[in-house]
Amino acid sequence: MSGPIAEAKQFLRDLFDAAVAAADPARCLPPFLPAPPRGKMVVVGAGKAAAAMARAVEKHWQGALGGLVVTRYGHGVACDQIEIVEAAHPVPDDAGLTAASRILELAQGLGADDLLLCLISGGGSSLLTLPAAGISLADKQAVNQALLRSGAAIGEMNCVRKHLSAIKGGRLAAAAAPAQVVTLLISDVPGDDPAVIASGPTVGDPTSFADAREILRRYDITPPETVRAHLAAAAVESPKIGDPRLVDCVTHLIAAPQASLIAAAQAAEAVGMQALILGDAIEGEAREVGLVHAGIAQACARHGHPAAPPLVLLSGGETTVTVRGKGRGGRNGEFALGLALALDGNERIFALAADTDGIDGSEDNAGVLVTPDTLARARRAGVDPMASLAGNDAYSLFAAVDDLVVTGPTLTNVNDFRAVLIL
Amino acid sequence: MSGPIAEAKQFLRDLFDAAVAAADPARCLPPFLPAPPRGKMVVVGAGKAAAAMARAVEKHWQGALGGLVVTRYGHGVACDQIEIVEAAHPVPDDAGLTAASRILELAQGLGADDLLLCLISGGGSSLLTLPAAGISLADKQAVNQALLRSGAAIGEMNCVRKHLSAIKGGRLAAAAAPAQVVTLLISDVPGDDPAVIASGPTVGDPTSFADAREILRRYDITPPETVRAHLAAAAVESPKIGDPRLVDCVTHLIAAPQASLIAAAQAAEAVGMQALILGDAIEGEAREVGLVHAGIAQACARHGHPAAPPLVLLSGGETTVTVRGKGRGGRNGEFALGLALALDGNERIFALAADTDGIDGSEDNAGVLVTPDTLARARRAGVDPMASLAGNDAYSLFAAVDDLVVTGPTLTNVNDFRAVLIL
């Protein structure tokens, strides 16, 4: 296949690859490695990218090191000196609990000349689960579920989590004192706040036990008795910003959605294509976000606003899918199908939507491509696009027209990536 | 009230007023008035702005004129020479049917020296209802309802409508031949296609009876027998583009969403504020469109993309609301509440969302204003913002914080207007 459609698809794929490459630990981590300490170098970490980050550390580190990181099942890579543990995500299992406990012990064993290098990425919150003494995992999860149902904001949920944990909310860094602590972060959250990513195990906590109790009251949540007693006792407060135990802590954001969008924009501009970044934290119901992107793209084509074609619109962030049907596909497929239906065959517009972690939902594809004839080709293949969307079955449609983007797990995660090309 | 918050609110209100003013027939119509004909000048028209358009014609026309326009109940204004009829919208009534019939007769009575001036605006489709001979209004509406439920595209619905009508799809202009026909349009539809607005009564029809039959087949719609027989007989095809009866027809778009957004952008730039138009036809579920606007605004605030603050983002088009609760409010209120919840008190962001026709849904307000403390003030007033959104009750929330935008009917309509100010 060749010609302008193939060229447009290849261009979009190149942009996606540039976005993922910018977040690849092998590339973005080495510049942030600290100087070797006089004492021991211990590496810990958690997240979907933790093993890939550990490997990048090993490859570029001069001297001895050891440690342990926990990543999701299937996200491990071979390391020589750092132990890689795989555990369950998003619901924690015993493997994760044991790993978190061992990570805390590693930190507690350090002295003033030692260095704790902490590798944190998306998914780290559930992979690094360690309930505070006296609280069972089941009780902690019951509170978590109640918070999720309550409509509490993410900041409020994190406050409660940090006060039910033995390792989050700066507790890991406090345990490592007086050692130096360097945290390398890959962000997949809006705002890239280090205190939010994986509930900030090495970052001073702006919240308190009193806040946590107030949040449960606000949302009328009656916690299990062990949790109530723990919050009431307020025995070991999380370390605050300015806590002397956190003096020797630094945090570097080594990859983030915006940085990957900028890398994609630069890749576009390198071949003479203008790029407009709409935002790195665009959220909402996937098909509706697709509609809005279509509206903006059509305004470019028709009026030259917000920018005149040819250009590519870029956006990141995590959409959601309200599942109503029994079909296959993730949020990027659903975004793309909503977009394609709204564009209705516009001959000047192409798109790619994919998850930078390489897996859109639970299928084998990272995402999908949209061309002007996507709907027409789907219908010729016997697929009704409206019915596909109604049935949450975008994967099947894009598979039928052979426009899946397949990468396999990328071992990093800066959330979703979308590119809409207007010629 | 004064200070920066009051200033920001006034600024946003000024932009809305500029957008509405740009679509006010008194202002946008006169430049498009044709030269007086040698014979008679007859004015006809339909739509929410039809009476205001007729008044603008009367005020600026040199010489005699007569005619009849039909507008929505409550949208009439006093005219001296042009008869104003009010009728039901969106479900047609007898007043509308009679008016449409009389309008067709007026056109049929014209000669080669005469001029038919046709004034069309949003709502004109249902206000200008005249079923083809042999079809009852009930049968026509049954097909219409079936099409709405079928998921057919707007172009497909219009094709069927045009072939069940005695006046649409260019039939009004054909009836006026050999007179000159000048159509002045106010658009509230994406793409501003004259063949789409009010189903194009004076515009050549690209579709045919065969197309209409095929569309009913495609969506598995079994029409009433009168409709089936009419479509099968295909007795009087709609005039096509290039039809000799349409040779002396011209159409001018005198107001449109994009033109109003540009007017608002110019008003912003006149006081030194950068403006970025995101699109004039942004569609989608209102609260989700609010979320996406919030994401773009926060990207501006945080990263300077797609543009660096201070700036105002502008958009138009019609969102939709899936009603689940029993609250009060239109789509602009719901958009704004979704936006406010996503912004969560961001101190640098303000917004206005309103319907340019002056009525957001069925309440007495055109729209609402969002300030950084909207949610906090609502909570102090005893209103839970999350519950308001869940109950489709945005009107009550914005009423409680005294941030309704009230204009009364503006007698024009270029769809919704949204402005998000990032300082």
Side-chain angles (χ1 to χ4, degrees):
Chain A
M1 187 173 165
S2 65
I5 290 183
E7 258 178 57
K9 289 165 74 170
Q10 186 61 50
F11 169 77
L12 291 168
R13 177 60 194 263
D14 290 346
L15 299 197
F16 176 57
D17 291 346
V20 172
D24 181 349
R27 183 158 142 176
C28 65
L29 187 144
F32 293 98
L33 277 175
R38 285 197 289 179
K40 277 195 296 184
M41 156 75 156
V42 171
V43 179
V44 297
K48 294 184 201 168
M53 292 171 86
R55 185 169 59 179
V57 173
E58 279 196 358
K59 188 169 173 193
H60 293 272
W61 186 254
Q62 310 292 333
L65 56 76
L68 183 162
V69 305
V70 55
T71 190
R72 189 182 187 177
Y73 289 115
H75 284 59
V77 293
C79 285
D80 294 326
Q81 295 146 285
I82 301 166
E83 184 182 351
I84 309 295
V85 172
E86 294 190 346
H89 173 279
V91 180
D93 63 0
D94 281 340
L97 281 175
T98 305
S101 173
R102 290 179 57 204
I103 284 171
L104 189 61
E105 280 165 28
L106 281 171
Q108 284 163 339
L110 299 178
D113 287 343
D114 299 334
L115 168 63
L116 184 73
L117 183 66
C118 191
L119 310 175
I120 300 293
S121 58
S125 194
S126 49
L127 291 167
L128 201 66
T129 295
L130 190 61
I135 300 178
S136 70
L137 181 59
D139 284 352
K140 188 161 186 266
Q141 288 181 322
V143 175
N144 212 18
Q145 288 301 318
L147 283 166
L148 283 169
R149 280 193 304 267
S150 72
I154 179 73
E156 294 172 323
M157 292 195 272
N158 274 334
C159 166
V160 176
R161 286 169 182 160
K162 288 174 180 181
H163 287 90
L164 301 181
S165 168
I167 197 163
K168 285 170 184 161
R171 295 175 198 273
L172 177 61
Q180 180 195 4
V181 177
V182 174
T183 303
L184 305 184
L185 282 174
I186 296 179
S187 169
D188 67 340
V189 304
D192 308 321
D193 183 350
V196 171
I197 302 165
S199 297
T202 60
V203 181
D205 180 14
T207 68
S208 68
F209 273 105
D211 294 330
R213 290 191 300 263
E214 166 56 27
I215 288 162
L216 293 186
R217 252 195 304 277
R218 186 178 306 155
Y219 293 100
D220 207 15
I221 293 169
T222 306
E225 172 54 24
T226 56
V227 168
R228 192 207 55 74
H230 177 78
L231 293 179
V236 187
E237 186 54 277
S238 56
K240 306 301 164 217
I241 296 153
D243 186 298
R245 293 170 293 174
L246 303 188
V247 166
D248 210 3
C249 283
V250 296
T251 296
H252 300 291
L253 189 67
I254 66 168
Q258 180 71 6
S260 281
L261 292 173
I262 289 174
Q266 288 170 341
E269 284 153 9
V271 296
M273 180 62 68
Q274 185 193 184
L276 185 69
I277 299 175
L278 292 175
D280 65 334
I282 304 289
E283 301 180 308
E285 183 74 20
R287 64 183 65 192
E288 306 296 328
V289 179
L291 251 179
V292 176
H293 278 64
I296 297 173
Q298 285 175 311
C300 291
R302 201 180 286 148
H303 301 298
H305 291 287
L311 89 152
V312 62
L313 300 171
L314 302 172
S315 78
E318 187 168 321
T319 63
T320 47
V321 171
T322 304
V323 177
R324 294 198 178 83
K326 293 177 178 170
R328 300 172 66 189
R331 56 189 188 249
N332 286 287
E334 187 132 327
F335 163 90
L337 185 48
L339 175 100
L341 280 162
L343 293 175
D344 196 22
N346 188 311
E347 288 177 12
R348 297 165 62 187
I349 306 183
F350 301 74
L352 179 150
D355 191 323
T356 56
D357 75 3
I359 302 297
D360 185 30
S362 56
E363 302 295 340
D364 60 358
N365 67 318
V368 303
L369 282 154
V370 173
T371 66
D373 59 355
T374 293
L375 300 181
R377 287 186 292 130
R379 290 185 184 114
R380 281 201 297 275
V383 179
D384 175 356
M386 295 276 291
S388 285
L389 187 61
N392 299 115
D393 199 26
Y395 178 94
S396 303
L397 183 145
F398 286 101
V401 298
D402 199 20
D403 273 333
L404 299 176
V405 174
V406 178
T407 60
T410 62
L411 305 183
T412 190
N413 180 20
V414 287
N415 233 320
D416 293 339
F417 173 87
R418 311 169 204 107
V420 184
L421 175 64
I422 305 111
L423 294 179
Chain B
M1 185 173 167
S2 65
I5 290 183
E7 257 179 57
K9 289 165 74 168
Q10 186 59 51
F11 168 78
L12 290 168
R13 177 60 193 262
D14 290 346
L15 299 197
F16 176 58
D17 291 346
V20 172
D24 181 351
R27 182 157 142 176
C28 65
L29 187 145
F32 293 97
L33 277 175
R38 286 197 290 181
K40 278 195 294 185
M41 156 75 156
V42 172
V43 179
V44 296
K48 293 184 201 169
M53 292 170 86
R55 184 169 60 180
V57 172
E58 279 196 359
K59 188 168 174 193
H60 293 272
W61 186 255
Q62 311 291 334
L65 57 78
L68 183 161
V69 304
V70 55
T71 191
R72 189 182 186 176
Y73 288 115
H75 284 59
V77 293
C79 286
D80 295 326
Q81 296 147 286
I82 302 166
E83 184 182 351
I84 309 294
V85 172
E86 294 190 348
H89 173 279
V91 180
D93 64 1
D94 281 341
L97 281 174
T98 306
S101 172
R102 289 178 57 203
I103 284 171
L104 190 61
E105 280 165 27
L106 282 171
Q108 284 163 340
L110 298 178
D113 287 342
D114 300 333
L115 168 64
L116 183 73
L117 182 65
C118 192
L119 310 175
I120 300 292
S121 57
S125 194
S126 50
L127 291 166
L128 202 66
T129 294
L130 191 61
I135 300 178
S136 69
L137 181 59
D139 284 352
K140 188 160 186 268
Q141 287 181 322
V143 175
N144 214 15
Q145 288 302 318
L147 282 166
L148 283 170
R149 278 193 305 268
S150 72
I154 180 72
E156 293 172 323
M157 291 195 273
N158 273 335
C159 166
V160 176
R161 287 169 182 159
K162 288 174 180 181
H163 288 89
L164 300 181
S165 169
I167 197 163
K168 286 172 183 160
R171 295 174 197 273
L172 176 62
Q180 180 195 4
V181 178
V182 174
T183 302
L184 304 185
L185 282 174
I186 296 180
S187 169
D188 67 340
V189 305
D192 308 320
D193 182 350
V196 171
I197 303 165
S199 296
T202 60
V203 181
D205 179 13
T207 68
S208 69
F209 273 106
D211 294 330
R213 290 192 300 264
E214 166 56 26
I215 288 161
L216 293 186
R217 251 196 305 277
R218 184 177 309 154
Y219 292 99
D220 206 16
I221 294 170
T222 306
E225 173 55 24
T226 57
V227 168
R228 192 206 56 77
H230 177 77
L231 293 179
V236 186
E237 186 55 275
S238 56
K240 304 302 164 219
I241 296 152
D243 186 298
R245 292 169 294 173
L246 303 188
V247 165
D248 210 2
C249 282
V250 295
T251 296
H252 299 291
L253 189 67
I254 67 167
Q258 180 71 6
S260 281
L261 292 173
I262 288 173
Q266 288 169 341
E269 283 153 9
V271 295
M273 180 63 68
Q274 186 194 183
L276 184 69
I277 299 175
L278 290 175
D280 65 334
I282 303 289
E283 301 180 308
E285 183 74 20
R287 64 183 66 192
E288 306 294 329
V289 179
L291 250 181
V292 176
H293 279 64
I296 297 172
Q298 286 175 310
C300 291
R302 200 179 287 146
H303 301 298
H305 292 287
L311 89 153
V312 63
L313 299 172
L314 301 172
S315 79
E318 187 169 320
T319 63
T320 48
V321 171
T322 305
V323 177
R324 295 198 177 84
K326 292 177 178 170
R328 300 172 65 190
R331 55 187 188 250
N332 287 287
E334 185 132 328
F335 163 90
L337 184 50
L339 175 99
L341 279 163
L343 292 176
D344 196 20
N346 188 313
E347 290 178 10
R348 298 165 60 186
I349 306 182
F350 302 74
L352 179 150
D355 193 324
T356 56
D357 75 3
I359 302 297
D360 185 31
S362 56
E363 302 295 341
D364 60 359
N365 67 320
V368 303
L369 281 154
V370 173
T371 65
D373 59 355
T374 293
L375 300 181
R377 286 185 292 130
R379 291 185 183 115
R380 282 202 295 275
V383 179
D384 174 356
M386 295 276 291
S388 285
L389 187 61
N392 299 117
D393 198 25
Y395 178 93
S396 303
L397 183 146
F398 287 101
V401 298
D402 199 21
D403 273 332
L404 298 176
V405 174
V406 178
T407 60
T410 61
L411 305 183
T412 189
N413 179 20
V414 286
N415 233 319
D416 294 338
F417 173 86
R418 312 169 204 109
V420 184
L421 174 65
I422 304 113
L423 295 179

